[in-house]
Amino acid sequence: EHPRVLPWLPLVSLICATLNLICTSEVLNIPGGKMLMGTNAADGRDGESPTKEVEVGPFKIDKYPVTNADFRDFVRAQKYKTEAETFGWSFVFKDFVAEELKSKVTQRIESAPWWLPIERVFWRQGSFPDEDTAEDGYHGLSPVTAFPPQNSYGLYDMMGNTWEWTSTPFHGAQPMYVLRGASWIDTVDGSANHKARVTTRMGNTPDSASDNLGFRCAASGHEHGKKKDKTEL
């Protein structure tokens, strides 16, 4: 009997708790304080604008996103069955699909034809997205340590590579959560998909599976028993 698919947020907690036991990922302490979040740019979308002042409590966050190797260790330790295994398919970027498989694809997303629904896929730059010249040395995802930290705290991959899930609900017709940071298929000028900048956000359903979605482990730093309202991301 396969383990059941767990609800999204408890699943993340289980993954992080498991990885805390089997991995040595470095956790950084981020001090709390007030900050300006969002943008006043005219092209702000999906709740990205306007700029607003928010107060964030101290928290802990992993230096790196959860990698495929980390998630493999979690799957083995918990004997976890992924959504892609449950559904029997997952979205794969067209460049990584063999021509033989492409000929068997019967459905496409009209607004994003570069994503192909491929059966039995479970887990594992140029005129974009029709051409990726790999000028940065990587076609598709890059290792989490491929580029230097993008901030003074020493956090890697906070922008680009993969979108990262948050626990903030995204307003829509069905249950969705906010993702931040853009991914490797987004562009600086927004000519393909989203504009890759630190304020970028979007929403997606928690059962979504593709190679440009990821997350990292984090925990609030407030004292035990003293709960504060969460800041929406």
Side-chain angles (χ1 to χ4, degrees):
E1 181 179 349
H2 292 292
R4 65 188 178 90
V5 177
L6 299 173
W8 170 243
L9 293 178
L11 169 60
V12 171
S13 298
L14 177 60
I15 292 172
C16 294
T18 303
L19 294 180
N20 187 47
L21 295 174
I22 61 179
C23 299
T24 57
S25 181
E26 188 175 344
V27 178
L28 302 180
N29 291 297
I30 308 299
K34 293 182 178 180
M35 60 170 283
L36 288 177
M37 185 169 69
T39 179
N40 286 325
D43 59 356
R45 55 189 285 195
D46 295 332
E48 187 183 7
S49 58
T51 298
K52 60 181 178 181
E53 184 179 88
V54 298
E55 185 170 1
V56 180
F59 62 96
K60 299 177 180 180
I61 187 169
D62 277 1
K63 189 174 184 177
Y64 308 105
V66 171
T67 65
N68 285 331
D70 292 335
F71 193 71
R72 176 199 60 203
D73 292 340
F74 160 76
V75 167
R76 290 175 176 173
Q78 296 293 336
K79 296 181 173 58
Y80 177 70
K81 184 179 180 182
T82 67
E83 281 87 347
E85 290 173 299
T86 301
F87 301 150
W89 64 275
S90 180
F91 283 117
V92 178
F93 192 73
K94 65 178 183 180
D95 285 8
F96 305 118
V97 178
E99 292 300 323
E100 181 183 357
L101 286 177
K102 285 182 181 178
S103 66
K104 298 178 181 179
V105 173
T106 58
Q107 300 181 59
R108 291 174 184 263
I109 303 175
E110 187 173 339
S111 60
W114 46 88
W115 285 118
L116 303 180
I118 303 298
E119 293 183 1
R120 294 186 297 279
V121 174
F122 298 147
W123 166 61
R124 10 186 193 187
Q125 289 129 353
S127 179
F128 209 76
D130 295 317
E131 180 186 353
D132 181 1
T133 59
E135 291 178 16
D136 60 358
Y138 301 96
H139 181 43
L141 295 172
S142 64
V144 294
T145 56
F147 303 101
Q150 300 155 324
N151 50 77
S152 59
Y153 296 114
L155 294 164
Y156 286 71
D157 267 8
M158 292 297 289
M159 187 175 73
N161 216 13
T162 66
W163 288 94
E164 294 192 21
W165 290 100
T166 76
S167 61
T168 299
F170 185 86
H171 302 294
Q174 56 185 320
M176 304 171 77
Y177 289 92
V178 171
L179 293 106
R180 295 294 303 267
S183 76
W184 68 273
I185 67 169
D186 298 296
T187 52
V188 173
D189 61 1
S191 58
N193 299 306
H194 287 73
K195 182 170 283 191
R197 57 187 178 194
V198 294
T199 59
T200 296
R201 72 201 298 269
M202 74 166 184
N204 213 336
T205 56
D207 59 357
S208 300
S210 63
D211 76 344
N212 71 328
L213 303 181
F215 67 98
R216 73 181 69 211
C217 299
S220 59
H222 58 69
E223 295 179 25
H224 185 68
K226 295 183 178 180
K227 267 196 159 182
K228 291 187 69 175
D229 293 335
K230 289 196 302 183
T231 300
E232 290 198 350
L233 299 174

